[in-house]
Amino acid sequence: MAGLETDTIAAVATARGNGPVGMIRLSGPNASAIASQVTNTALTPRFAHYTSFTAASGDVLDKGIALYFPGPNSFTGEDVVELQGHGGHIVLQSILTRCLDLGARSAQPGEFSERAFLNGKIDLLQAEAIADLIAAENETAAKLASSSLAGGFSTLVTTLSQRLNELRALTEASIDFPEEDIDVLKRHSVIERLNECQATISSLLNDVSTAQRKTQGYTAALFGAPNAGKSSLLNALAHDDVAIVTHLPGTTRDTLKQTINISDLSLEIIDTAGIRETQDVIEKEGVKRAKNTAGMADLIIHVVDDTCLLDQDFDDEVDFPGDRNLIIKVHNKIDQSGRTAGVITSQDGITRVGVSAKTGEGLQSLTSVIETILLGEGHQTSQFSARQRHVEALTVANEHLTNALSAYSLHNAAELLSEDLKLVQNAIDSLTGKVSSDDILGQIFSSFCIGK
């Protein structure tokens, strides 16, 4: 980062808008000097000073708390000062302007976290976890991000990198001493240990893929014939009238999205047009979009009118896109059909739930089934937050290691194995930022909020 050694940066570190408390954060070599002029106080490290924040004229802008954290024992590794006052936007901007007038410059998005990374206070996984923790929309996402921020993910990646480094050293030793090539590799069980590394990478890849879904949430498409009650079910699950409901078939022409939380699960529910043969150009396009949406969704909630299709086989009603294992058949309007609410015993392997979108009967059973299906099958094992970047890096590492082991088994060439292992380790080290490019860092930190 340009000017990292000399610049002192400042920014409002609390969310925009009026609130009871707001904070200005400064970081850099002049942070303490600037804050001392704003407060007219010699700041004692790690001591909460109740003081006035003043303008150049001496007028009091606000009163609050000043905290000074000398580097390197601070978040950024530099001198850091936090000025905590009232949370009014005008007040905070006045204090920030005073800091800028005294020589600080406005911080860029994520610049405080970037300085923490560049100064070795956190690694790249922890830096991303900060942003994920701030953006978390449910308890699960917050817990996973908190675990990553505490270093859970970093520890696993660092240990794996160290193991790969040791094995690279042994492989390269066999190149330097070719007469002992077979002895060196076999004596230290290099190939067996590399297979263990690959198993670890595969396990991590599974975990980050699961964690990414938990963090970003899932999608469920409401699918079925017109007037089955899809829009009514969406409104019932959302506890709001987000979709228009009428007795006329074909009311829904386009897709309508609404995100809800089911326990610790974030789920985007997509209402779609009713599936039927039609000559209406607009409705026909809606049917097309409904099928496309269902094909890409994590879960299909197939809604049927229980008063019309009771005790019938519904599988011939429509061709289901996607995986049959991720389909829930919802028998709606049980308040009219008389069916008991809840999970329906089925001999055909299809998950069925009886509900009434009108009265709310069976909705608790439906949400429980949704949670079980989406978070089942080992999906509870993730322990940290993850992003697509992590999935891609681990995928690359896994591919290089597979190629390395395959090539060595065919050609018995330690030189090829050594070069491939270097690529594996580079991919692994890119996770923590030990190996990184300015473009990647810029992309990551630019997505942060200003002041963090």
Side-chain angles (χ1 to χ4, degrees), residues 65 77 108 125 147 163 186 221 241 274 285 314 352 384 429:
I65 303 295
Q108 299 298 314
L125 289 172
S147 177
R163 290 165 59 192
K186 286 190 174 181
D241 291 331
E285 176 62 25
F314 311 125
R352 303 174 185 267
F384 36 77
D429 287 343

Side-chain angles (χ1 to χ4, degrees), residues 166-182:
E166 292 171 0
L167 295 175
R168 280 183 62 197
L170 291 171
T171 303
E172 290 171 7
S174 71
I175 298 172
D176 293 335
F177 304 97
E179 67 279 2
E180 299 182 19
D181 181 57
I182 296 178

Side-chain angles (χ1 to χ4, degrees), residues 1-10 25-31 72 74-80 103-124 127 130 441 445 448 452:
M1 177 191 300
L4 181 60
E5 298 298 329
T6 58
D7 284 358
T8 296
I9 57 175
R25 173 179 286 162
L26 299 101
S27 181
N30 296 323
S74 68
F75 172 68
T76 64
E78 306 170 331
D79 288 354
V80 171
R105 70 167 173 82
S106 294
Q108 299 298 314
E111 191 167 358
F112 291 94
S113 296
E114 186 173 10
R115 289 189 175 204
F117 165 70
L118 294 174
N119 288 324
K121 304 300 293 185
I122 56 176
D123 62 32
L124 202 54
I130 293 172
L441 295 182
F445 289 105
F448 282 44
K452 195 56 187 169

Side-chain angles (χ1 to χ4, degrees), residues 232-242 258 260-261 360 363 367:
S232 296
L233 183 59
L234 173 63
N235 291 342
L237 291 171
H239 303 289
D240 194 6
D241 291 331
V242 294
Q258 180 69 25
I260 66 171
N261 287 324
L363 291 183
T367 56

Side-chain angles (χ1 to χ4, degrees), residues 103-171:
R105 70 167 173 82
S106 294
Q108 299 298 314
E111 191 167 358
F112 291 94
S113 296
E114 186 173 10
R115 289 189 175 204
F117 165 70
L118 294 174
N119 288 324
K121 304 300 293 185
I122 56 176
D123 62 32
L124 202 54
L125 289 172
Q126 292 172 301
E128 290 170 309
I130 293 172
D132 291 340
L133 186 59
I134 294 171
E137 295 184 354
N138 56 62
E139 187 176 351
T140 294
K143 286 180 179 179
L144 295 178
S146 181
S147 177
S148 286
L149 181 56
F153 195 2
S154 301
T155 298
L156 294 172
V157 172
T158 299
T159 300
L160 176 59
S161 178
Q162 291 171 346
R163 290 165 59 192
L164 287 167
N165 192 54
E166 292 171 0
L167 295 175
R168 280 183 62 197
L170 291 171
T171 303

Side-chain angles (χ1 to χ4, degrees), residues 37-303:
Q37 292 185 70
V38 174
T39 62
N40 295 311
T41 303
L43 300 180
T44 302
R46 291 174 177 77
F47 181 85
H49 298 265
Y50 178 67
T51 184
S52 297
F53 307 135
T54 61
S57 63
D59 293 340
V60 175
L61 300 172
D62 195 11
K63 287 189 176 183
I65 303 295
L67 292 167
Y68 170 40
F69 304 93
N73 299 316
S74 68
F75 172 68
T76 64
E78 306 170 331
D79 288 354
V80 171
V81 176
E82 295 180 355
L83 304 177
Q84 303 174 8
H86 293 94
H89 172 67
I90 299 300
V91 173
L92 291 173
Q93 284 301 314
S94 297
I95 300 172
L96 176 60
T97 299
R98 173 72 167 135
C99 294
L100 299 179
D101 290 342
L102 289 169
R105 70 167 173 82
S106 294
Q108 299 298 314
E111 191 167 358
F112 291 94
S113 296
E114 186 173 10
R115 289 189 175 204
F117 165 70
L118 294 174
N119 288 324
K121 304 300 293 185
I122 56 176
D123 62 32
L124 202 54
L125 289 172
Q126 292 172 301
E128 290 170 309
I130 293 172
D132 291 340
L133 186 59
I134 294 171
E137 295 184 354
N138 56 62
E139 187 176 351
T140 294
K143 286 180 179 179
L144 295 178
S146 181
S147 177
S148 286
L149 181 56
F153 195 2
S154 301
T155 298
L156 294 172
V157 172
T158 299
T159 300
L160 176 59
S161 178
Q162 291 171 346
R163 290 165 59 192
L164 287 167
N165 192 54
E166 292 171 0
L167 295 175
R168 280 183 62 197
L170 291 171
T171 303
E172 290 171 7
S174 71
I175 298 172
D176 293 335
F177 304 97
E179 67 279 2
E180 299 182 19
D181 181 57
I182 296 178
D183 290 338
V184 170
L185 295 179
K186 286 190 174 181
R187 187 185 314 133
H188 296 279
S189 304
V190 170
I191 303 304
E192 289 81 357
R193 290 163 65 183
L194 284 174
N195 282 321
E196 293 174 359
C197 287
Q198 186 171 41
T200 299
I201 292 173
S202 296
S203 177
L204 279 174
L205 185 56
N206 180 68
D207 285 351
V208 298
S209 298
T210 298
Q212 185 187 23
R213 300 312 307 276
K214 280 188 173 184
T215 301
Q216 297 182 355
Y218 297 82
T219 59
L222 296 174
F223 195 74
N227 272 6
K230 299 184 297 300
S231 297
S232 296
L233 183 59
L234 173 63
N235 291 342
L237 291 171
H239 303 289
D240 194 6
D241 291 331
V242 294
I244 298 174
V245 177
T246 74
H247 67 282
L248 299 174
T251 301
T252 302
R253 300 294 187 93
D254 205 345
T255 55
L256 178 64
K257 302 178 181 180
Q258 180 69 25
T259 300
I260 66 171
N261 287 324
I262 299 176
S263 186
D264 290 337
L265 173 69
S266 179
L267 180 67
E268 182 181 64
I269 301 181
I270 308 173
D271 188 16
T272 66
I275 306 300
R276 67 172 178 175
E277 294 295 330
T278 177
Q279 298 304 314
D280 186 294
V281 176
I282 298 177
E283 189 177 358
K284 186 177 294 186
E285 176 62 25
V287 171
K288 178 182 177 182
R289 294 188 182 190
K291 293 181 178 180
N292 290 338
T293 298
M296 294 185 291
D298 299 305
L299 174 69
I300 296 175
I301 300 177
H302 184 204
V303 184

